[in-house]
Amino acid sequence: MDRDGKVKDVKVTVDVRHTWVGDVDMTLVAPDGTRVKLHARGGRDTDDIVGTYGADLRAIDDLASLVGKGTKGDWQLKLVDLEGQDTGTLVSWGLSV
């Protein structure tokens, strides 16, 4: 993110297509290195994670922990499939701060 400022609110929109979301681990990483776990292998054999954390999806960690942090810099979404049988695709993701 190019604009300098402080985080007041965070929403993370994701479209992850996966046949077994219980394999998936997902973390948002702020520019200062703060990590917020969004998904931690929950949902077992449910398909797909589509929605917005901070709105219709509930993050594992509290997104409010990012309030007051700087906005400028690289924000990353770390998405890992921790099993080998099912596969998935990160179709898109977006960040609103």
Side-chain angles (χ1 to χ4, degrees), residues 23-94:
D23 294 350
V24 175
D25 191 72
M26 187 171 9
T27 303
L28 178 67
V29 183
D32 72 349
T34 301
R35 294 175 171 270
V36 175
K37 182 75 69 177
L38 300 176
H39 186 87
R41 300 189 77 168
R44 299 185 39 91
D45 63 347
T46 305
D47 290 350
D48 308 329
I49 304 169
V50 179
T52 302
Y53 288 98
D56 58 312
L57 298 176
R58 185 176 184 153
I60 300 298
D61 294 337
D62 192 354
L63 287 166
S65 67
L66 296 169
V67 171
K69 304 279 185 186
T71 58
K72 190 172 185 174
D74 292 330
W75 289 80
Q76 300 174 32
L77 183 69
K78 301 285 186 174
L79 183 63
V80 180
D81 183 333
L82 297 166
E83 298 294 334
Q85 297 167 334
D86 295 281
T87 61
T89 301
L90 174 62
V91 176
S92 65
W93 78 283

